[in-house]
Amino acid sequence: MGVAFVAHCLLNQNSKVGDGAHCAGVYSPIVDALRQKGWRIEQMPCPELAFSGLNRFWGVREQYDTAAYRRHCARLAAAVAEAIGVRTGQGEEIVLIGVEGSPSMGVTITSSDPTRGGRPEWPEGTLEHVNGEGIYIEELRKALESRGLRFPRVAGETHATEGHDENAERAALEATLDRQS
Amino acid sequence: MKRDKRSFRVAMMADRYVNAAPGGVDGVAAAEEAGWGVLQLPPDDYPADLVKLLLFEVAEQAEEFSRRGYDLVLVGRHDGLAEALAGVGLPLPDSSMPLTTAELVDFFGARPIPRAMAELGELAGD
């Protein structure tokens, strides 16, 4: 089939921001679908884990979008782009599996709220979700482009998005996997 | 911090257990069954320079799990991992070289309660 470069937390929910883990460890709805369809799995580093730690707050793009965090993401992305280059050179199909709604790992939906900062006081809700890529995904796009590599097709885990439906998530993933590049 | 569904248990796992050959030890299935997360080690066929970069990132992430009291183990082996972990002040953790998937499930199941979980007042098996 090919190689799926997956967000770290899809194999390890322990990396999630507090109150964000949907299961004990492996997020089976995505991982099992990849395995059943014969895709090789390669785990990308979690950009937020090493930078902000396990006790980090939930954040939006504007809070993470610092020069230092971009340099961190660019460093991670450079290694992953090299890995994608190796697999592409071997003739493998590549798919990128991110996390929708994430300020770092969103592939088509990220989170944005320019007013957030200081003492937390915003209400519960998911109004911060907007179309777009997370910061790490943007840096990965740049790293691939700088190496003359095509940005792969993408799918995302959708737990954090409004109206999440596991069947719809899997159908979207399978449609992405089955699509000819 | 509010408790969620995480297990506080992470296995650094050699690629051959993550992408198991047919009939081989299926590390992902074992982790799913036992409720462990997986921190995948670089595939053996990558160039040495790339493996070194990826091991550095593995070590940085392992360091954060370790310092926060998550249980961290090694499944399989990887050249260069000990040096990468030493770079962040970590020794090689307890490890398993399982011959079967069931053996790996047993290894996971025999681990003590992670310190992070104990600190949250949880009991084993919750």
Side-chain angles (χ1 to χ4, degrees):
Chain A
M1 281 281 101
V3 181
F5 284 82
V6 306
H8 179 102
C9 58
L10 297 179
L11 281 174
N12 183 20
Q13 291 278 297
N14 292 288
S15 65
K16 285 280 196 180
V17 65
D19 199 27
H22 309 299
C23 60
V26 177
Y27 184 67
S28 301
I30 296 279
V31 171
D32 288 355
L34 291 169
R35 283 154 55 90
Q36 285 165 14
K37 286 185 167 287
W39 284 75
R40 176 181 165 73
I41 291 173
E42 297 199 17
Q43 183 184 39
M44 295 185 284
C46 172
E48 294 175 17
L49 174 61
F51 193 86
S52 300
L54 285 160
N55 286 4
R56 65 191 181 274
F57 280 116
W58 291 65
V60 293
R61 274 183 56 98
E62 287 81 359
Q63 292 167 301
Y64 272 108
D65 197 358
T66 66
Y69 187 62
R70 282 212 174 260
R71 281 194 291 271
H72 171 73
C73 286
R75 188 189 82 201
L76 301 181
V80 172
E82 287 291 326
I84 290 174
V86 170
R87 295 300 181 222
T88 301
Q90 294 169 341
E92 297 282 6
E93 287 286 315
I94 305 294
V95 66
L96 187 64
I97 313 294
V99 180
E100 298 297 27
S102 165
S104 303
M105 297 303 299
V107 286
T108 66
I109 301 170
T110 186
S111 59
S112 173
D113 183 351
T115 69
R116 288 196 189 182
R119 187 189 297 272
E121 58 183 13
W122 52 89
E124 287 289 325
T126 56
L127 296 176
E128 72 269 23
H129 288 164
V130 297
N131 290 334
E133 295 172 344
I135 292 167
Y136 165 82
I137 297 297
E138 287 180 347
E139 294 299 325
L140 180 59
R141 180 182 288 278
K142 289 180 199 171
L144 290 169
E145 287 173 354
S146 73
R147 290 163 174 76
L149 296 168
R150 190 178 55 174
F151 190 76
R153 55 190 195 265
V154 299
E157 182 258 300
T158 60
H159 238 293
T161 59
E162 200 169 6
H164 164 73
D165 176 86
E166 199 169 292
N167 292 326
E169 174 185 79
R170 177 159 180 147
L173 171 64
E174 290 183 344
T176 299
L177 297 179
D178 293 343
R179 193 169 72 230
Q180 296 298 310
S181 59
Chain B
M1 189 166 65
K2 199 171 166 184
R3 176 74 201 273
D4 56 20
K5 294 182 178 177
R6 76 188 60 206
S7 63
F8 300 94
R9 296 172 168 101
V10 179
M12 291 187 287
M13 192 175 286
D15 178 68
R16 72 185 185 96
Y17 298 105
V18 177
N19 293 291
V25 177
D26 189 338
V28 172
E32 286 179 309
E33 184 175 341
W36 280 65
V38 172
L39 176 47
Q40 184 179 12
L41 299 175
D44 293 331
D45 66 330
Y46 278 154
D49 287 354
L50 177 56
V51 168
K52 192 172 180 182
L53 289 175
L54 294 171
L55 283 176
F56 175 80
E57 306 303 348
V58 165
E60 279 216 321
Q61 294 173 89
E63 178 186 23
E64 175 64 5
F65 287 119
S66 176
R67 66 196 295 275
R68 297 292 180 185
Y70 287 48
D71 192 17
L72 189 65
V73 300
L74 172 62
V75 178
R77 61 181 300 279
H78 199 296
D79 289 344
L81 177 62
E83 291 81 2
L85 290 175
V88 296
L90 291 181
L92 279 173
D94 293 343
S95 65
S96 172
M97 294 282 285
L99 298 176
T100 66
T101 304
E103 183 184 331
L104 182 53
V105 172
D106 290 343
F107 171 75
F108 286 147
R111 295 295 300 170
I113 302 168
R115 176 169 58 82
M117 181 181 281
E119 287 175 355
L120 283 176
E122 300 289 339
L123 298 173
D126 281 359

